[in-house]
mmCIF file of all heavy atoms in Angstrom:
data_model
loop_
_atom_site.group_PDB
_atom_site.id
_atom_site.type_symbol
_atom_site.label_atom_id
_atom_site.label_comp_id
_atom_site.label_asym_id
_atom_site.label_seq_id
_atom_site.Cartn_x
_atom_site.Cartn_y
_atom_site.Cartn_z
ATOM 1 N N ILE A 1 -5.471 -8.490 4.901
ATOM 2 C CA ILE A 1 -4.347 -7.961 5.664
ATOM 3 C C ILE A 1 -4.186 -6.490 5.134
ATOM 4 O O ILE A 1 -4.094 -6.336 3.909
ATOM 5 C CB ILE A 1 -3.082 -8.751 5.481
ATOM 6 C CG1 ILE A 1 -3.223 -10.081 6.085
ATOM 7 C CG2 ILE A 1 -1.894 -7.975 6.202
ATOM 8 C CD1 ILE A 1 -1.989 -11.001 5.869
ATOM 9 N N TYR A 2 -4.172 -5.548 5.935
ATOM 10 C CA TYR A 2 -3.988 -4.087 5.552
ATOM 11 C C TYR A 2 -2.561 -3.697 5.728
ATOM 12 O O TYR A 2 -2.026 -3.744 6.754
ATOM 13 C CB TYR A 2 -4.976 -3.259 6.285
ATOM 14 C CG TYR A 2 -6.395 -3.349 5.834
ATOM 15 C CD1 TYR A 2 -7.171 -4.597 6.021
ATOM 16 C CD2 TYR A 2 -7.009 -2.357 5.107
ATOM 17 C CE1 TYR A 2 -8.419 -4.650 5.560
ATOM 18 C CE2 TYR A 2 -8.287 -2.412 4.694
ATOM 19 C CZ TYR A 2 -9.046 -3.607 4.848
ATOM 20 O OH TYR A 2 -10.336 -3.590 4.325
ATOM 21 N N TYR A 3 -2.118 -3.060 4.694
ATOM 22 C CA TYR A 3 -0.681 -2.628 4.632
ATOM 23 C C TYR A 3 -0.617 -1.123 4.436
ATOM 24 O O TYR A 3 -1.423 -0.516 3.706
ATOM 25 C CB TYR A 3 0.099 -3.174 3.490
ATOM 26 C CG TYR A 3 0.233 -4.719 3.651
ATOM 27 C CD1 TYR A 3 -0.624 -5.560 2.984
ATOM 28 C CD2 TYR A 3 1.333 -5.310 4.320
ATOM 29 C CE1 TYR A 3 -0.517 -6.934 3.075
ATOM 30 C CE2 TYR A 3 1.466 -6.586 4.312
ATOM 31 C CZ TYR A 3 0.531 -7.433 3.748
ATOM 32 O OH TYR A 3 0.689 -8.879 3.885
ATOM 33 N N CYS A 4 0.280 -0.534 5.204
ATOM 34 C CA CYS A 4 0.589 0.873 5.029
ATOM 35 C C CYS A 4 1.822 1.037 4.188
ATOM 36 O O CYS A 4 2.726 0.336 4.217
ATOM 37 C CB CYS A 4 0.946 1.502 6.394
ATOM 38 S SG CYS A 4 1.462 3.212 6.384
ATOM 39 N N GLY A 5 1.653 1.928 3.161
ATOM 40 C CA GLY A 5 2.718 2.154 2.180
ATOM 41 C C GLY A 5 3.103 3.559 2.069
ATOM 42 O O GLY A 5 2.331 4.450 2.265
ATOM 43 N N ALA A 6 4.405 3.859 1.772
ATOM 44 C CA ALA A 6 4.906 5.133 1.568
ATOM 45 C C ALA A 6 5.611 5.265 0.230
ATOM 46 O O ALA A 6 6.391 4.455 -0.200
ATOM 47 C CB ALA A 6 5.988 5.515 2.620
ATOM 48 N N SER A 7 5.318 6.381 -0.525
ATOM 49 C CA SER A 7 5.825 6.589 -1.853
ATOM 50 C C SER A 7 6.430 7.933 -2.006
ATOM 51 O O SER A 7 5.946 8.992 -1.482
ATOM 52 C CB SER A 7 4.602 6.559 -2.841
ATOM 53 O OG SER A 7 5.188 6.856 -4.212
ATOM 54 N N GLU A 8 7.637 7.904 -2.602
ATOM 55 C CA GLU A 8 8.333 9.219 -2.907
ATOM 56 C C GLU A 8 7.721 9.898 -4.114
ATOM 57 O O GLU A 8 8.080 11.070 -4.426
ATOM 58 C CB GLU A 8 9.793 8.944 -3.206
ATOM 59 C CG GLU A 8 10.565 8.453 -1.923
ATOM 60 C CD GLU A 8 12.003 8.160 -2.174
ATOM 61 O OE1 GLU A 8 12.396 8.185 -3.329
ATOM 62 O OE2 GLU A 8 12.680 7.834 -1.263
ATOM 63 N N ASP A 9 6.894 9.183 -4.832
ATOM 64 C CA ASP A 9 6.252 9.627 -6.185
ATOM 65 C C ASP A 9 4.884 9.918 -5.960
ATOM 66 O O ASP A 9 4.109 9.175 -5.455
ATOM 67 C CB ASP A 9 6.516 8.486 -7.189
ATOM 68 C CG ASP A 9 6.253 8.996 -8.631
ATOM 69 O OD1 ASP A 9 5.802 10.014 -8.804
ATOM 70 O OD2 ASP A 9 6.532 8.270 -9.562
ATOM 71 N N ARG A 10 4.472 11.103 -6.506
ATOM 72 C CA ARG A 10 3.066 11.535 -6.430
ATOM 73 C C ARG A 10 2.201 10.925 -7.507
ATOM 74 O O ARG A 10 0.968 11.004 -7.501
ATOM 75 C CB ARG A 10 2.960 13.046 -6.568
ATOM 76 C CG ARG A 10 3.520 13.544 -7.934
ATOM 77 C CD ARG A 10 3.300 15.107 -8.153
ATOM 78 N NE ARG A 10 1.856 15.420 -8.207
ATOM 79 C CZ ARG A 10 1.351 16.544 -8.475
ATOM 80 N NH1 ARG A 10 2.236 17.621 -8.631
ATOM 81 N NH2 ARG A 10 0.046 16.747 -8.640
ATOM 82 N N TYR A 11 2.812 10.180 -8.497
ATOM 83 C CA TYR A 11 2.060 9.655 -9.605
ATOM 84 C C TYR A 11 1.732 8.223 -9.429
ATOM 85 O O TYR A 11 2.520 7.448 -8.742
ATOM 86 C CB TYR A 11 2.895 9.939 -10.873
ATOM 87 C CG TYR A 11 3.134 11.327 -11.100
ATOM 88 C CD1 TYR A 11 4.553 11.765 -10.986
ATOM 89 C CD2 TYR A 11 2.255 12.230 -11.501
ATOM 90 C CE1 TYR A 11 4.807 13.093 -11.159
ATOM 91 C CE2 TYR A 11 2.568 13.551 -11.815
ATOM 92 C CZ TYR A 11 3.870 14.024 -11.535
ATOM 93 O OH TYR A 11 4.200 15.330 -11.771
ATOM 94 N N ASP A 12 0.680 7.875 -10.085
ATOM 95 C CA ASP A 12 0.213 6.365 -10.093
ATOM 96 C C ASP A 12 0.092 5.777 -8.654
ATOM 97 O O ASP A 12 0.505 4.737 -8.346
ATOM 98 C CB ASP A 12 1.166 5.611 -10.885
ATOM 99 C CG ASP A 12 0.475 4.269 -11.404
ATOM 100 O OD1 ASP A 12 -0.634 4.147 -11.428
ATOM 101 O OD2 ASP A 12 1.394 3.367 -11.769
ATOM 102 N N ILE A 13 -0.550 6.585 -7.820
ATOM 103 C CA ILE A 13 -0.656 6.266 -6.419
ATOM 104 C C ILE A 13 -1.548 5.081 -6.031
ATOM 105 O O ILE A 13 -1.551 4.590 -4.912
ATOM 106 C CB ILE A 13 -0.969 7.446 -5.576
ATOM 107 C CG1 ILE A 13 -2.344 7.971 -5.875
ATOM 108 C CG2 ILE A 13 0.107 8.561 -5.704
ATOM 109 C CD1 ILE A 13 -3.002 9.047 -4.920
ATOM 110 N N ARG A 14 -2.382 4.693 -6.996
ATOM 111 C CA ARG A 14 -3.193 3.550 -6.850
ATOM 112 C C ARG A 14 -2.536 2.213 -7.243
ATOM 113 O O ARG A 14 -3.215 1.140 -6.988
ATOM 114 C CB ARG A 14 -4.481 3.661 -7.607
ATOM 115 C CG ARG A 14 -5.387 4.838 -7.103
ATOM 116 C CD ARG A 14 -6.561 5.139 -8.117
ATOM 117 N NE ARG A 14 -7.327 6.206 -7.567
ATOM 118 C CZ ARG A 14 -8.532 6.109 -6.942
ATOM 119 N NH1 ARG A 14 -9.011 4.829 -6.792
ATOM 120 N NH2 ARG A 14 -9.162 7.134 -6.395
ATOM 121 N N ASN A 15 -1.381 2.196 -7.594
ATOM 122 C CA ASN A 15 -0.601 1.048 -8.022
ATOM 123 C C ASN A 15 0.440 0.678 -6.911
ATOM 124 O O ASN A 15 1.245 1.504 -6.508
ATOM 125 C CB ASN A 15 0.180 1.326 -9.297
ATOM 126 C CG ASN A 15 0.910 0.119 -9.865
ATOM 127 O OD1 ASN A 15 1.062 -0.902 -9.184
ATOM 128 N ND2 ASN A 15 1.307 0.262 -11.132
ATOM 129 N N TYR A 16 0.228 -0.503 -6.336
ATOM 130 C CA TYR A 16 1.164 -0.828 -5.245
ATOM 131 C C TYR A 16 2.696 -0.848 -5.627
ATOM 132 O O TYR A 16 3.438 -0.601 -4.765
ATOM 133 C CB TYR A 16 0.737 -2.228 -4.765
ATOM 134 C CG TYR A 16 1.155 -3.338 -5.623
ATOM 135 C CD1 TYR A 16 2.353 -4.022 -5.469
ATOM 136 C CD2 TYR A 16 0.245 -3.966 -6.510
ATOM 137 C CE1 TYR A 16 2.691 -5.116 -6.217
ATOM 138 C CE2 TYR A 16 0.575 -4.989 -7.326
ATOM 139 C CZ TYR A 16 1.805 -5.597 -7.224
ATOM 140 O OH TYR A 16 2.167 -6.712 -8.021
ATOM 141 N N ARG A 17 2.955 -0.994 -6.969
ATOM 142 C CA ARG A 17 4.365 -1.057 -7.384
ATOM 143 C C ARG A 17 4.944 0.341 -7.192
ATOM 144 O O ARG A 17 6.204 0.500 -7.309
ATOM 145 C CB ARG A 17 4.450 -1.443 -8.824
ATOM 146 C CG ARG A 17 3.886 -2.895 -9.040
ATOM 147 C CD ARG A 17 4.086 -3.251 -10.423
ATOM 148 N NE ARG A 17 3.439 -4.597 -10.710
ATOM 149 C CZ ARG A 17 2.246 -4.891 -10.901
ATOM 150 N NH1 ARG A 17 1.331 -3.868 -10.875
ATOM 151 N NH2 ARG A 17 1.770 -6.080 -11.090
ATOM 152 N N THR A 18 4.142 1.406 -7.088
ATOM 153 C CA THR A 18 4.588 2.691 -6.886
ATOM 154 C C THR A 18 5.294 2.947 -5.502
ATOM 155 O O THR A 18 6.254 3.804 -5.437
ATOM 156 C CB THR A 18 3.498 3.696 -6.982
ATOM 157 O OG1 THR A 18 3.028 3.603 -8.391
ATOM 158 C CG2 THR A 18 3.916 5.205 -6.742
ATOM 159 N N TYR A 19 4.960 2.123 -4.554
ATOM 160 C CA TYR A 19 5.382 2.391 -3.156
ATOM 161 C C TYR A 19 6.724 1.892 -2.919
ATOM 162 O O TYR A 19 6.994 0.644 -3.234
ATOM 163 C CB TYR A 19 4.197 1.822 -2.198
ATOM 164 C CG TYR A 19 3.031 2.802 -2.359
ATOM 165 C CD1 TYR A 19 2.174 2.667 -3.394
ATOM 166 C CD2 TYR A 19 2.825 3.858 -1.494
ATOM 167 C CE1 TYR A 19 1.139 3.582 -3.595
ATOM 168 C CE2 TYR A 19 1.766 4.747 -1.655
ATOM 169 C CZ TYR A 19 0.905 4.648 -2.734
ATOM 170 O OH TYR A 19 -0.195 5.416 -2.863
ATOM 171 N N ASP A 20 7.496 2.580 -2.212
ATOM 172 C CA ASP A 20 8.827 2.306 -1.803
ATOM 173 C C ASP A 20 9.025 1.570 -0.539
ATOM 174 O O ASP A 20 9.966 0.809 -0.346
ATOM 175 C CB ASP A 20 9.657 3.606 -1.818
ATOM 176 C CG ASP A 20 9.570 4.427 -3.087
ATOM 177 O OD1 ASP A 20 10.164 3.950 -4.119
ATOM 178 O OD2 ASP A 20 8.989 5.459 -3.048
ATOM 179 N N TYR A 21 8.121 1.730 0.343
ATOM 180 C CA TYR A 21 8.146 1.289 1.698
ATOM 181 C C TYR A 21 6.922 0.679 2.144
ATOM 182 O O TYR A 21 5.874 1.173 1.887
ATOM 183 C CB TYR A 21 8.707 2.244 2.660
ATOM 184 C CG TYR A 21 9.968 2.952 2.280
ATOM 185 C CD1 TYR A 21 9.929 4.219 1.783
ATOM 186 C CD2 TYR A 21 11.217 2.265 2.428
ATOM 187 C CE1 TYR A 21 11.108 4.846 1.361
ATOM 188 C CE2 TYR A 21 12.408 2.939 2.127
ATOM 189 C CZ TYR A 21 12.384 4.196 1.553
ATOM 190 O OH TYR A 21 13.478 4.878 1.090
ATOM 191 N N TRP A 22 6.937 -0.459 2.869
ATOM 192 C CA TRP A 22 5.750 -1.167 3.392
ATOM 193 C C TRP A 22 5.930 -1.529 4.817
ATOM 194 O O TRP A 22 6.994 -1.873 5.320
ATOM 195 C CB TRP A 22 5.426 -2.328 2.581
ATOM 196 C CG TRP A 22 5.039 -2.126 1.223
ATOM 197 C CD1 TRP A 22 5.913 -2.201 -0.038
ATOM 198 C CD2 TRP A 22 3.781 -1.671 0.678
ATOM 199 N NE1 TRP A 22 5.174 -1.870 -1.074
ATOM 200 C CE2 TRP A 22 3.903 -1.581 -0.764
ATOM 201 C CE3 TRP A 22 2.554 -1.529 1.287
ATOM 202 C CZ2 TRP A 22 2.808 -1.267 -1.510
ATOM 203 C CZ3 TRP A 22 1.542 -1.107 0.498
ATOM 204 C CH2 TRP A 22 1.573 -1.024 -0.905
ATOM 205 N N GLY A 23 4.804 -1.484 5.569
ATOM 206 C CA GLY A 23 4.762 -2.197 6.799
ATOM 207 C C GLY A 23 4.501 -3.661 6.653
ATOM 208 O O GLY A 23 4.363 -4.184 5.693
ATOM 209 N N GLN A 24 4.391 -4.273 7.831
ATOM 210 C CA GLN A 24 4.269 -5.786 7.849
ATOM 211 C C GLN A 24 2.827 -6.179 7.814
ATOM 212 O O GLN A 24 2.458 -7.291 7.588
ATOM 213 C CB GLN A 24 4.920 -6.395 9.065
ATOM 214 C CG GLN A 24 6.454 -6.335 9.104
ATOM 215 C CD GLN A 24 7.070 -6.968 7.880
ATOM 216 O OE1 GLN A 24 7.664 -6.340 7.045
ATOM 217 N NE2 GLN A 24 6.805 -8.320 7.747
ATOM 218 N N GLY A 25 1.938 -5.236 7.922
ATOM 219 C CA GLY A 25 0.498 -5.544 7.758
ATOM 220 C C GLY A 25 -0.186 -5.741 9.093
ATOM 221 O O GLY A 25 0.411 -6.181 10.093
ATOM 222 N N THR A 26 -1.612 -5.571 9.137
ATOM 223 C CA THR A 26 -2.379 -5.842 10.303
ATOM 224 C C THR A 26 -3.627 -6.444 9.724
ATOM 225 O O THR A 26 -4.215 -6.099 8.775
ATOM 226 C CB THR A 26 -2.599 -4.572 11.138
ATOM 227 O OG1 THR A 26 -3.375 -4.909 12.247
ATOM 228 C CG2 THR A 26 -3.473 -3.513 10.205
ATOM 229 N N GLN A 27 -4.075 -7.562 10.474
ATOM 230 C CA GLN A 27 -5.132 -8.380 9.906
ATOM 231 C C GLN A 27 -6.418 -7.842 10.306
ATOM 232 O O GLN A 27 -6.693 -7.452 11.468
ATOM 233 C CB GLN A 27 -4.967 -9.804 10.570
ATOM 234 C CG GLN A 27 -6.174 -10.706 10.156
ATOM 235 C CD GLN A 27 -6.142 -11.174 8.736
ATOM 236 O OE1 GLN A 27 -5.102 -11.687 8.195
ATOM 237 N NE2 GLN A 27 -7.305 -10.832 7.991
ATOM 238 N N VAL A 28 -7.366 -7.677 9.357
ATOM 239 C CA VAL A 28 -8.706 -7.278 9.697
ATOM 240 C C VAL A 28 -9.669 -8.384 9.321
ATOM 241 O O VAL A 28 -9.529 -8.893 8.192
ATOM 242 C CB VAL A 28 -9.071 -6.002 8.893
ATOM 243 C CG1 VAL A 28 -10.636 -5.777 8.883
ATOM 244 C CG2 VAL A 28 -8.250 -4.818 9.342
ATOM 245 N N THR A 29 -10.416 -8.885 10.174
ATOM 246 C CA THR A 29 -11.453 -9.910 9.938
ATOM 247 C C THR A 29 -12.812 -9.467 10.250
ATOM 248 O O THR A 29 -13.076 -8.819 11.371
ATOM 249 C CB THR A 29 -11.042 -11.211 10.914
ATOM 250 O OG1 THR A 29 -9.762 -11.600 10.656
ATOM 251 C CG2 THR A 29 -12.110 -12.279 10.560
ATOM 252 N N VAL A 30 -13.725 -9.672 9.380
ATOM 253 C CA VAL A 30 -15.078 -9.164 9.455
ATOM 254 C C VAL A 30 -16.025 -10.324 9.419
ATOM 255 O O VAL A 30 -16.041 -11.189 8.453
ATOM 256 C CB VAL A 30 -15.471 -8.193 8.370
ATOM 257 C CG1 VAL A 30 -16.881 -7.647 8.596
ATOM 258 C CG2 VAL A 30 -14.417 -7.083 8.297
ATOM 259 N N SER A 31 -16.770 -10.609 10.515
ATOM 260 C CA SER A 31 -17.679 -11.713 10.605
ATOM 261 C C SER A 31 -19.003 -11.318 10.180
ATOM 262 O O SER A 31 -19.503 -10.128 10.436
ATOM 263 C CB SER A 31 -17.704 -12.303 11.989
ATOM 264 O OG SER A 31 -18.070 -11.273 12.938
ATOM 265 N N SER A 32 -19.770 -12.249 9.691
ATOM 266 C CA SER A 32 -21.201 -11.963 9.290
ATOM 267 C C SER A 32 -22.246 -12.681 10.094
ATOM 268 O O SER A 32 -21.844 -13.426 10.999
ATOM 269 C CB SER A 32 -21.390 -12.407 7.743
ATOM 270 O OG SER A 32 -21.095 -13.764 7.663
#
């Protein structure tokens, strides 16, 4: 599930805890 996040902070942007707002997500499925 892929989520979009928005952060007011420019630091530690690879940490999900940094983000203040989130969407509900969209499912990506990849078949082999």
Side-chain angles (χ1 to χ4, degrees):
I1 299 175
Y2 282 71
Y3 295 92
C4 177
S7 176
E8 298 177 351
D9 193 348
R10 61 174 289 186
Y11 303 107
D12 201 18
I13 61 171
R14 293 172 180 257
N15 185 348
Y16 74 89
R17 298 177 183 86
T18 296
Y19 290 79
D20 304 290
Y21 306 102
W22 294 99
Q24 292 302 118
T26 186
Q27 177 72 55
V28 172
T29 303
V30 184
S31 63
S32 60

